[in-house]
Amino acid sequence: MSFVPASTAWFAHHEISLAWRDFLMMMTGGRRRRGLVLALVLAVFAIFVHLLVNVLVVRWLQAGLHPDKETLAAITGGGFLFWCVMLSQAMESVTRAYYARSDLDLLMSSPASMRRVFAVRTGAIALSTVALAALLASPVINMLALNNGPQWLAAYGVLVAFGALSAALSLLVVIVLFRLVGPKRTRLIAQVIAGLIGAGFVIGIQAAAIMAYGSMSRYALLDSPEFVAAMPDISHPIYLPARAAMGDLGALLVCLLLGLGALAVVTVVTSSSFGRHVLATAALGRETRGSNHRPTIFRPATPKQALRRKEWMLLRRDPWLLSQTLMQILYLLPPALMLWVNYGASAGAFIVVVPVLVMAAGQLAGGLAWLALSGEDAHDLVATAPITARTATWAKIEAVLGVIAAVLTPLLVLMALSAPNLALITAFCATLSAGSATLIQVWFRVPSRRSMFRRRQVASRAATLSEAFVSIMWAGTSAVLVAGSPFALLPAACALLALLIAWAVRPRTQ
Amino acid sequence: MPTIADAPALRISGLSKAFDRPIITALDLHVRRGEFYALLGPNGAGKTTLLRMVAGLLAPDNGTIEVNGIDARRNPVAAKRQIAWVSDEPMVYDRLTPTEYLRFVAGLWEVDSKLAQQRSKDLLGWLGLTPFAEQRCGGFSKGMLQKVALAGALVHDPQLIILDEPLTGLDAGSARQVKDVLRDKVRSGVTVIMTTHILDVAERMAERIGVIAGGRLIAEGTLAELRAQAAHGRADLSAASLEEVFLDLVAESAAA
């Protein structure tokens, strides 16, 4: 297919080809056979998830899914939470579109229309947001359609409307931030907003459920009679997306018109300033950022101390890290609240909290360990220092585990006041989880730039998968341990086996 | 019997390294203490690989490396204490200031903190970085970053400085500052080994020049000695520039 060079269709074709190649590379690592195996594995996984979701869907259908207030309120509440996640993802993508340099320098230096580039990139953001959301929601939608009729497929249309609306709102927020706080602070604030929207609403509902019902399930609130009573009357337009998802084509049309219309209007209004804002962000790399108000003091330090101090200083000064780990830290808030609410109560309430803490410790440690071990910007400097590689690695591991300890200790102390045994189990399993994630990062370390943090999952899928799996297994171990069951050995053995496999498949470099 | 004090700054014997093809093949090299030695070679000749092995960044397949009499393969930590490595890509942290960076490097090499503070101040002054000493390196130009990296290499007072294309991307003023600092170091007895594609610099600064091609040291000596090796009695090379001599030696090696 050939398009007029530099036309909107030509740019769209270029973007789609690049995105497709990126996706193929990410999935197959450039090997076709691996792609086939992966496709098979994904197909099996998709079938498994669909079957799992089917159990839930059948239960809903047995309880009755009619367009009454209870159902519409629950779908609206759930849909709103889902849209928050989509909005968060779109905000991330929009920020990246303005700040990531990659090919923007080439495009900016060409006579091509930046309006067209912007329009195509905006469309791509909306599309990718919809694609990810559709991927996540597809088991529920498909099983509803299979069990209750194809009208449920209209939910995909609602996702398209949601995706377009998310992209439009994200653009507006970023442009407003540019005007209010300037390009220097927009990136950080947009990242924080994205993190807060993505996790904040979900966690907020969870927090409300904990306060009201003592349950960490967010559906405890959405299903509650109080929530249903507080929602507007059934004829209110707030239920349009829910009605559309249930197959009301008129409602779907309105949703699509609103979403796509908003995106079109915002794109037209903001596209003229795209080039100007990109130029403003390009200047940021040239500015000297941050300075010390007090002169640097030289204190005696061993090489290990010097390395640990350096790691902590870099972590403290990393603005991206804030948003990158914000979600993980935010997910610790509901358990913290649960601890607070149940302070002094029976230990039973903590059972839900323990695995969450263990899982969070592993995930946080994995990210920080990547930054300290692989994201070492002066790799040659550390490698040529008169210390052994083991000393350098240990210093970095200590720096990472020190941060984890600092985050978890207040929660553990709070827990220990009420249930010392559970605190001990949590500390033990969190240490194993954080230690395992760090160990995996040691085995899979690949010298890289710190700024590549966001693409670390792409760089090593084996590391990412084993890290997630091992964290889940240690979380499972802790959950079974607090229940006092000897079956805790089972997930623990799985975690150890996964570690062994990760060690066996680790890359071997000279 | 020779002692460590008499040993050359760098003695390499039978060094080999191969990746998917041989990069360095049975290479021997001696560099005297207090000498400015320039290593030249076409792209892909193996210069960087050779120097990375000396700095301890790559493990050789075969051969020995001695730094000031210390076997770098058997006792890498002691050897590294003597060496500073500066690559063409400055290894500096965006979010540290030059002073913080020097404090970190001094910590790695266990330099006394008071001494490190004084040296940092002096080095930043020599390299014209004092006004930027407390600003984060994130927005620095390539030249400024290269000077910060050089200051980091010198803060622990190394006896052997290895520089891989240190002048790439520097403006004339910055290049002059770097060259002046290196000359001062050589005058004070420090050994400098530098790769460069700027042959004028090698011609004017180096006491001896080594030419590598295809992973082998094909010629070595002063400019006059190199001319003699290249000329083989040809009169047209008796007053040739280093560039002409270098091109002739490389072409001869490729033909062989």
Side-chain angles (χ1 to χ4, degrees), chain B residues 73-186:
Chain B
R73 295 188 73 184
R74 284 202 185 150
N75 197 349
V77 171
K80 284 176 180 180
R81 216 171 275 286
Q82 310 275 321
I83 301 175
W85 159 257
V86 181
S87 80
D88 59 338
E89 277 298 317
M91 303 168 291
V92 176
Y93 301 98
D94 287 356
R95 293 195 179 88
L96 294 190
T97 66
T99 315
E100 287 168 345
Y101 175 76
L102 296 184
R103 181 180 65 180
F104 170 59
V105 179
L108 286 180
W109 265 263
E110 294 180 274
V111 182
D112 174 75
S113 55
K114 281 185 186 153
L115 186 61
Q117 186 154 19
Q118 188 54 49
R119 273 190 200 152
S120 300
K121 203 175 156 197
D122 293 344
L123 283 165
L124 294 175
W126 289 343
L127 290 163
L129 289 170
T130 306
F132 312 100
E134 299 298 341
Q135 289 183 14
R136 290 187 201 165
C137 300
F140 285 8
S141 67
K142 165 96 190 271
M144 286 167 79
L145 291 174
Q146 191 65 296
K147 286 196 278 186
V148 174
L150 183 65
L154 300 178
V155 78
H156 56 87
D157 199 20
Q159 292 307 299
L160 172 61
I161 305 172
I162 303 170
L163 305 107
D164 189 16
E165 302 284 352
L167 305 176
T168 308
L170 294 191
D171 63 39
S174 299
R176 163 71 73 82
Q177 281 172 320
V178 170
K179 285 186 280 186
D180 286 348
V181 169
L182 292 178
R183 274 202 196 96
D184 279 351
K185 282 285 153 191
V186 171

Side-chain angles (χ1 to χ4, degrees), chain A residues 235-299:
Chain A
S235 57
H236 197 278
I238 198 173
Y239 298 118
L240 269 176
R243 287 184 185 283
M246 294 181 84
D248 182 336
L249 290 180
L252 177 62
L253 197 66
V254 175
C255 287
L256 281 170
L257 278 174
L258 282 174
L260 295 172
L263 182 62
V265 170
V266 172
T267 305
V268 169
V269 171
T270 56
S271 61
S272 59
S273 61
F274 180 61
R276 203 171 63 243
H277 290 315
V278 167
L279 276 180
T281 63
L284 290 181
R286 306 278 173 266
E287 289 172 9
T288 304
R289 282 167 293 167
S291 56
N292 287 355
H293 300 296
R294 284 176 298 176
T296 307
I297 298 162
F298 283 65
R299 291 194 193 89

Side-chain angles (χ1 to χ4, degrees), chain A residues 75-96:
Chain A
I75 293 178
T76 302
F80 177 70
L81 294 181
F82 201 69
W83 179 68
C84 286
V85 177
M86 290 174 80
L87 185 59
S88 165
Q89 195 212 337
M91 187 98 73
E92 273 270 341
S93 308
V94 168
T95 315
R96 216 175 310 148

Side-chain angles (χ1 to χ4, degrees), chain A residues 92-113:
Chain A
E92 273 270 341
S93 308
V94 168
T95 315
R96 216 175 310 148
Y98 278 96
Y99 285 88
R101 302 312 310 157
S102 56
D103 58 351
L104 274 182
D105 286 350
L106 172 68
L107 293 171
M108 292 284 289
S109 64
S110 77
S113 157

Side-chain angles (χ1 to χ4, degrees), chain B residues 6-29:
Chain B
D6 305 326
L10 179 66
R11 178 163 37 208
I12 292 174
S13 310
L15 197 72
S16 298
K17 180 74 187 173
F19 294 115
D20 48 348
R21 64 184 174 86
I23 305 294
I24 298 288
T25 313
L27 189 138
D28 296 326
L29 181 69

